[in-house]
Amino acid sequence: EPEVTQTPSHQVTQMGQEVILRCVPISNHLYFYWYRQILGQKVEFLVSFYNNEISEKSEIFDDQFSVERPDGSNFTLKIRSTKLEDSAMYFCASRPTENNSPLHFGNGTRLTVT
Amino acid sequence: QKEVEQNSGPLSVPEGAIASLNCTYSDRGSQSFFWYRQYSGKSPELIMFIYSNGDKEDGRFTAQLNKASQYVSLLIRDSQPSDSATYLCAGVNQGGKLIFGQGTELSVKP
C-alpha cells in the first residue's frame, strides 16, 4: 500500500538554525498538509497546499515557516530560525481529493531544538 | 470555543468490554469526521470515517454521527490490550481543513 514518507525521523538542531523537513506524499494525491504535535498536546494544523500554492495556514505558520514542492514529488517544510518552542513532532499528510477523503499521515519527524 | 472536543481520559476498560469514545464539534458546516488511533510517539492511523447520520460498522469498530447534536462517537467491541492508545476525533471544517480534538487515552486492562 502506498504511503507518505518523511525524512529524517529525528532532527536535532540548535536554536536559530534553519531546518528543512522532507516529505514524499502518495503519488496520486493532490492535497498536502503539515501538522505538528508538541509532546503531550493535540495534533495542530499548520498549513495546507494545493496546486503549488498555500491554500490555508494557521496562526502558528508565521514568517519563520515556509513550504515548497520543489520537484513534483517532495514536499518540504522549512523553519528559518528555530526556537525552543518549535520542538515537536511534525507530520506530513496527503489526500487525493479535498472533500471527505481521509488524510494519510507519514511517520513524522521529531524535531528537537536545543 | 474549541472546534472539536474530546474527554482526554484516561478511559480504562477491562479486556472484552465495549469502549465508548465521544466527541463533539462546534462547526455545524462540518460534513465528514474521522477517527484516528495514535500510539505513543507514532503518527495518527486512520480507523474509520463517517459522513452520514447514523452508524457505520467495520469489524469491532462502530462510528456514530448525530449532526443535530453535533456529536460523534466510536465504539470498540471486545476491547483488546492492543487497542490501548490515544484516539483522535477529527472533523473537516467549512474551510476544508482537518481539525483534531485533543484525543482520548484508552487503556484496556487484561
Side-chain angles (χ1 to χ4, degrees):
Chain A
E1 184 177 328
E3 56 183 30
V4 177
T5 56
Q6 289 186 245
T7 54
S9 57
H10 191 188
Q11 175 86 49
V12 181
T13 190
Q14 288 190 327
M15 194 168 52
Q17 295 298 302
E18 174 183 287
V19 294
I20 298 176
L21 310 182
R22 303 182 190 280
C23 169
V24 179
I26 295 173
S27 62
N28 63 343
H29 285 191
L30 302 177
Y31 294 85
F32 314 116
Y33 303 82
W34 284 100
Y35 284 78
R36 81 169 184 191
Q37 186 175 32
I38 295 170
L39 186 63
Q41 297 187 24
K42 66 189 284 187
V43 177
E44 299 174 292
F45 170 80
L46 290 179
V47 66
S48 58
F49 192 87
Y50 169 71
N51 200 25
N52 285 321
E53 60 183 26
I54 291 173
S55 46
E56 189 170 357
K57 59 185 181 181
S58 72
E59 296 173 350
I60 303 167
F61 195 89
D62 61 22
D63 292 344
Q64 294 300 311
F65 291 86
S66 63
V67 289
E68 197 175 39
R69 188 157 161 81
D71 56 13
S73 61
N74 290 287
F75 179 50
T76 62
L77 175 69
K78 181 192 291 185
I79 309 176
R80 287 189 184 80
S81 178
T82 50
K83 302 186 285 287
L84 294 176
E85 54 265 36
D86 293 327
S87 296
M89 282 288 284
Y90 288 80
F91 295 110
C92 174
S94 69
R95 62 177 161 189
T97 60
E98 183 168 44
N99 294 325
N100 294 339
S101 55
L103 265 63
H104 298 258
F105 283 85
N107 288 330
T109 294
R110 178 170 298 284
L111 176 65
T112 302
V113 182
T114 61
Chain B
Q1 182 183 11
K2 293 180 184 177
E3 294 189 61
V4 179
E5 288 201 56
Q6 298 178 254
N7 289 326
S8 59
L11 173 66
S12 183
V13 300
E15 184 174 357
I18 296 175
S20 177
L21 303 159
N22 304 312
C23 172
T24 58
Y25 61 94
S26 60
D27 185 350
R28 283 201 170 271
S30 295
Q31 295 295 316
S32 46
F33 300 89
F34 304 86
W35 283 99
Y36 285 83
R37 177 173 61 198
Q38 188 178 32
Y39 294 110
S40 180
K42 303 295 184 182
S43 63
E45 172 193 6
L46 180 69
I47 298 176
M48 290 192 71
F49 54 89
I50 186 166
Y51 310 141
S52 305
N53 272 329
D55 295 0
K56 179 181 178 183
E57 187 174 319
D58 183 1
R60 295 188 295 113
F61 299 95
T62 299
Q64 300 173 314
L65 173 59
N66 183 325
K67 291 187 179 181
S69 301
Q70 295 176 243
Y71 176 87
V72 192
S73 66
L74 179 69
L75 301 178
I76 306 174
R77 288 181 298 282
D78 188 24
S79 296
Q80 302 297 308
S82 58
D83 294 327
S84 299
T86 297
Y87 288 80
L88 309 177
C89 173
V92 177
N93 71 1
Q94 288 207 26
K97 70 185 181 195
L98 191 67
I99 301 296
F100 284 88
Q102 63 269 40
T104 297
E105 183 184 349
L106 173 66
S107 177
V108 181
K109 304 294 186 185

